[in-house]
Amino acid sequence: MFTGIVEEIGEVLAVRESGEVVVLTVRGRTVTADAGHGDSIAVNGVCLTVIDPAGSSDGTFTVELVPETLKRSSLSAVAEGARVNLERAVPVTGRLGGHIVQGHVDGVATLLSRTPGERSDELRFSLAPDLARYVVEKGSIAVDGVSLTVAAVTPDGFTVALIPTTLSHTTLGLRQVGDTVNLEVDVVAKYVERLAAGYTGRTGLTATVGEEARAQ
């Protein structure tokens, strides 16, 4: 479980294929300070499992991307040198600084426009029809693992306003029009819809992305 408060911007050092799995080596000195084998780290909002047998000792960690993750997230296009948002799983005694983020990506969106302000930026992203019903004005959404408040919603898009800290401490400050990002909608909305399905006849999302399997 995460809160969408990015701890640092990391760098992808290596990308290699191992059968149907893609293996990433990522540098992140903050998130690896106490990282051990089997720990969860969110990379651009995708919950991934550290597979290094002895954890990390050099500020890097290794994770595996299975076909489901490659199919449903923007990590399928990640390359060496890419900058990524990193967050460790929140401890039970930690602060819920953002909102409840599972690291299970619901879909990929495209940055449609970027409007710079004096100190803040307004970003508008596309929004797939099957996700639109979960996004509400002043609600929460995770974009590349960053907990954000929705400023406005249209049938095919949504807008967020980024404060200076978000611009400087996450990769959203670097995103350009046309770039793709990972989206995770509010899990509470999905559960409410699922529970109400018997009355409304609607069903919720059938699949999301996150690394469910742990390295043995």
Side-chain angles (χ1 to χ4, degrees):
M1 192 68 68
F2 307 90
T3 72
I5 304 300
V6 172
E7 295 186 88
E8 67 177 321
I9 297 177
E11 181 184 0
V12 177
L13 299 181
V15 181
R16 65 179 178 85
E17 294 185 6
S18 179
E20 63 180 3
V21 172
V22 172
V23 182
L24 301 184
T25 300
V26 183
R27 177 187 291 122
R29 299 194 180 280
T30 298
V31 298
T32 57
D34 58 355
H37 175 77
D39 285 349
S40 295
I41 295 177
V43 179
N44 276 358
V46 181
C47 177
L48 299 173
T49 300
V50 176
I51 64 170
D52 304 86
S56 175
S57 60
D58 61 354
T60 70
F61 64 97
T62 306
V63 293
E64 295 174 319
L65 309 180
V66 297
E68 176 72 4
T69 303
L70 296 170
K71 179 176 69 174
R72 293 184 176 271
S73 79
S74 65
L75 292 183
S76 60
V78 73
E80 292 182 15
R83 308 274 277 174
V84 290
N85 294 322
L86 302 177
E87 181 190 356
R88 288 169 289 188
V90 65
V92 175
T93 56
R95 296 179 183 274
L96 187 62
H99 71 283
I100 296 173
V101 178
Q102 295 181 296
H104 300 168
V105 172
D106 293 309
V108 175
T110 301
L111 178 58
L112 301 176
S113 66
R114 185 176 199 117
T115 306
E118 184 176 346
R119 296 190 62 219
S120 63
D121 281 8
E122 188 174 270
L123 277 62
R124 182 170 180 269
F125 294 95
S126 62
L127 185 60
D130 62 332
L131 297 181
R133 64 182 181 271
Y134 303 108
V135 182
V136 298
E137 186 174 332
K138 302 308 177 186
S140 296
I141 191 167
V143 179
D144 267 355
V146 183
S147 174
L148 298 172
T149 300
V150 177
V153 185
T154 62
D156 60 352
F158 69 96
T159 302
V160 293
L162 306 186
I163 63 174
T165 296
T166 304
L167 292 171
S168 62
H169 287 75
T170 77
T171 60
L172 295 183
L174 307 172
R175 292 298 186 191
Q176 301 296 316
V177 173
D179 287 351
T180 57
V181 296
N182 294 316
L183 297 184
E184 181 184 333
V185 298
D186 191 347
V187 65
V188 176
K190 292 189 288 185
Y191 276 118
V192 169
E193 181 183 66
R194 184 68 170 179
L195 290 169
Y199 300 96
T200 64
R202 298 182 71 177
T203 57
L205 295 175
T206 57
T208 54
V209 170
E211 295 294 1
E212 302 297 340
R214 297 285 181 175
Q216 300 297 319

